[in-house]
PDB file of all heavy atoms in Angstrom:
ATOM      1  N   LEU A  45      -6.443   7.306   6.237  1.00 95.00           N
ATOM      2  CA  LEU A  45      -6.828   5.943   5.878  1.00 95.00           C
ATOM      3  C   LEU A  45      -7.653   5.325   6.997  1.00 95.00           C
ATOM      4  O   LEU A  45      -8.698   4.705   6.743  1.00 95.00           O
ATOM      5  CB  LEU A  45      -5.581   5.084   5.607  1.00 95.00           C
ATOM      6  CG  LEU A  45      -5.844   3.581   5.436  1.00 95.00           C
ATOM      7  CD1 LEU A  45      -6.738   3.314   4.231  1.00 95.00           C
ATOM      8  CD2 LEU A  45      -4.536   2.826   5.343  1.00 95.00           C
ATOM      9  N   TYR A  70      -7.601  -7.139   7.955  1.00 94.00           N
ATOM     10  CA  TYR A  70      -7.301  -7.086   6.514  1.00 94.00           C
ATOM     11  C   TYR A  70      -5.880  -7.589   6.242  1.00 94.00           C
ATOM     12  O   TYR A  70      -5.656  -8.371   5.322  1.00 94.00           O
ATOM     13  CB  TYR A  70      -7.470  -5.656   5.997  1.00 94.00           C
ATOM     14  CG  TYR A  70      -7.167  -5.549   4.520  1.00 94.00           C
ATOM     15  CD1 TYR A  70      -8.118  -5.921   3.581  1.00 94.00           C
ATOM     16  CD2 TYR A  70      -5.928  -5.118   4.079  1.00 94.00           C
ATOM     17  CE1 TYR A  70      -7.842  -5.856   2.226  1.00 94.00           C
ATOM     18  CE2 TYR A  70      -5.642  -5.044   2.730  1.00 94.00           C
ATOM     19  CZ  TYR A  70      -6.595  -5.420   1.802  1.00 94.00           C
ATOM     20  OH  TYR A  70      -6.310  -5.367   0.465  1.00 94.00           O
ATOM     21  N   ILE A 133     -13.447  -4.568   4.026  1.00 98.00           N
ATOM     22  CA  ILE A 133     -12.348  -3.627   3.784  1.00 98.00           C
ATOM     23  C   ILE A 133     -11.789  -3.833   2.373  1.00 98.00           C
ATOM     24  O   ILE A 133     -11.485  -2.854   1.681  1.00 98.00           O
ATOM     25  CB  ILE A 133     -11.248  -3.781   4.852  1.00 98.00           C
ATOM     26  CG1 ILE A 133     -11.833  -3.549   6.262  1.00 98.00           C
ATOM     27  CG2 ILE A 133     -10.078  -2.841   4.584  1.00 98.00           C
ATOM     28  CD1 ILE A 133     -12.550  -2.227   6.448  1.00 98.00           C
ATOM     29  N   ASP A 134     -11.713  -5.075   1.944  1.00 98.00           N
ATOM     30  CA  ASP A 134     -11.260  -5.355   0.575  1.00 98.00           C
ATOM     31  C   ASP A 134     -12.216  -4.729  -0.437  1.00 98.00           C
ATOM     32  O   ASP A 134     -11.784  -4.144  -1.433  1.00 98.00           O
ATOM     33  CB  ASP A 134     -11.161  -6.869   0.370  1.00 98.00           C
ATOM     34  CG  ASP A 134     -10.492  -7.227  -0.941  1.00 98.00           C
ATOM     35  OD1 ASP A 134      -9.367  -6.733  -1.200  1.00 98.00           O
ATOM     36  OD2 ASP A 134     -11.082  -8.018  -1.709  1.00 98.00           O
ATOM     37  N   GLY A 135     -13.513  -4.813  -0.164  1.00 97.00           N
ATOM     38  CA  GLY A 135     -14.497  -4.182  -1.047  1.00 97.00           C
ATOM     39  C   GLY A 135     -14.325  -2.675  -1.097  1.00 97.00           C
ATOM     40  O   GLY A 135     -14.429  -2.052  -2.167  1.00 97.00           O
ATOM     41  N   LEU A 136     -14.037  -2.063   0.055  1.00 98.00           N
ATOM     42  CA  LEU A 136     -13.778  -0.628   0.110  1.00 98.00           C
ATOM     43  C   LEU A 136     -12.598  -0.272  -0.783  1.00 98.00           C
ATOM     44  O   LEU A 136     -12.674   0.652  -1.601  1.00 98.00           O
ATOM     45  CB  LEU A 136     -13.499  -0.212   1.556  1.00 98.00           C
ATOM     46  CG  LEU A 136     -12.925   1.186   1.778  1.00 98.00           C
ATOM     47  CD1 LEU A 136     -13.962   2.252   1.434  1.00 98.00           C
ATOM     48  CD2 LEU A 136     -12.448   1.325   3.222  1.00 98.00           C
ATOM     49  N   PHE A 137     -11.489  -0.991  -0.620  1.00 97.00           N
ATOM     50  CA  PHE A 137     -10.290  -0.704  -1.404  1.00 97.00           C
ATOM     51  C   PHE A 137     -10.541  -0.925  -2.902  1.00 97.00           C
ATOM     52  O   PHE A 137     -10.063  -0.161  -3.741  1.00 97.00           O
ATOM     53  CB  PHE A 137      -9.107  -1.542  -0.932  1.00 97.00           C
ATOM     54  CG  PHE A 137      -8.622  -1.184   0.459  1.00 97.00           C
ATOM     55  CD1 PHE A 137      -7.845  -2.081   1.164  1.00 97.00           C
ATOM     56  CD2 PHE A 137      -8.949   0.027   1.061  1.00 97.00           C
ATOM     57  CE1 PHE A 137      -7.377  -1.769   2.441  1.00 97.00           C
ATOM     58  CE2 PHE A 137      -8.497   0.349   2.343  1.00 97.00           C
ATOM     59  CZ  PHE A 137      -7.712  -0.561   3.024  1.00 97.00           C
ATOM     60  N   ASN A 138     -11.322  -1.935  -3.245  1.00 97.00           N
ATOM     61  CA  ASN A 138     -11.639  -2.184  -4.662  1.00 97.00           C
ATOM     62  C   ASN A 138     -12.514  -1.067  -5.238  1.00 97.00           C
ATOM     63  O   ASN A 138     -12.344  -0.680  -6.389  1.00 97.00           O
ATOM     64  CB  ASN A 138     -12.306  -3.552  -4.829  1.00 97.00           C
ATOM     65  CG  ASN A 138     -11.302  -4.678  -4.744  1.00 97.00           C
ATOM     66  OD1 ASN A 138     -10.144  -4.539  -5.133  1.00 97.00           O
ATOM     67  ND2 ASN A 138     -11.727  -5.805  -4.205  1.00 97.00           N
ATOM     68  N   ARG A 139     -13.445  -0.550  -4.442  1.00 97.00           N
ATOM     69  CA  ARG A 139     -14.251   0.603  -4.903  1.00 97.00           C
ATOM     70  C   ARG A 139     -13.342   1.796  -5.156  1.00 97.00           C
ATOM     71  O   ARG A 139     -13.514   2.515  -6.136  1.00 97.00           O
ATOM     72  CB  ARG A 139     -15.328   0.961  -3.871  1.00 97.00           C
ATOM     73  CG  ARG A 139     -16.538   0.077  -3.916  1.00 97.00           C
ATOM     74  CD  ARG A 139     -17.746   0.666  -3.188  1.00 97.00           C
ATOM     75  NE  ARG A 139     -17.490   1.459  -2.014  1.00 97.00           N
ATOM     76  CZ  ARG A 139     -17.409   0.991  -0.768  1.00 97.00           C
ATOM     77  NH1 ARG A 139     -17.546  -0.296  -0.536  1.00 97.00           N
ATOM     78  NH2 ARG A 139     -17.197   1.817   0.242  1.00 97.00           N
ATOM     79  N   HIS A 140     -12.373   2.000  -4.283  1.00 96.00           N
ATOM     80  CA  HIS A 140     -11.426   3.102  -4.473  1.00 96.00           C
ATOM     81  C   HIS A 140     -10.665   2.935  -5.784  1.00 96.00           C
ATOM     82  O   HIS A 140     -10.471   3.910  -6.515  1.00 96.00           O
ATOM     83  CB  HIS A 140     -10.414   3.166  -3.326  1.00 96.00           C
ATOM     84  CG  HIS A 140     -11.004   3.635  -2.044  1.00 96.00           C
ATOM     85  ND1 HIS A 140     -10.326   3.581  -0.859  1.00 96.00           N
ATOM     86  CD2 HIS A 140     -12.213   4.165  -1.743  1.00 96.00           C
ATOM     87  CE1 HIS A 140     -11.078   4.055   0.112  1.00 96.00           C
ATOM     88  NE2 HIS A 140     -12.228   4.412  -0.410  1.00 96.00           N
ATOM     89  N   LEU A 141     -10.242   1.713  -6.060  1.00 96.00           N
ATOM     90  CA  LEU A 141      -9.479   1.467  -7.286  1.00 96.00           C
ATOM     91  C   LEU A 141     -10.279   1.813  -8.544  1.00 96.00           C
ATOM     92  O   LEU A 141      -9.710   2.263  -9.540  1.00 96.00           O
ATOM     93  CB  LEU A 141      -9.033  -0.002  -7.355  1.00 96.00           C
ATOM     94  CG  LEU A 141      -7.874  -0.359  -6.442  1.00 96.00           C
ATOM     95  CD1 LEU A 141      -7.655  -1.862  -6.420  1.00 96.00           C
ATOM     96  CD2 LEU A 141      -6.613   0.354  -6.891  1.00 96.00           C
TER      97      LEU A 141
END
Side-chain angles (χ1 to χ4, degrees):
L45 171 63
Y70 180 81
I133 302 305
D134 189 53
L136 168 68
F137 293 162
N138 284 328
R139 280 196 326 270
H140 289 170
L141 284 171

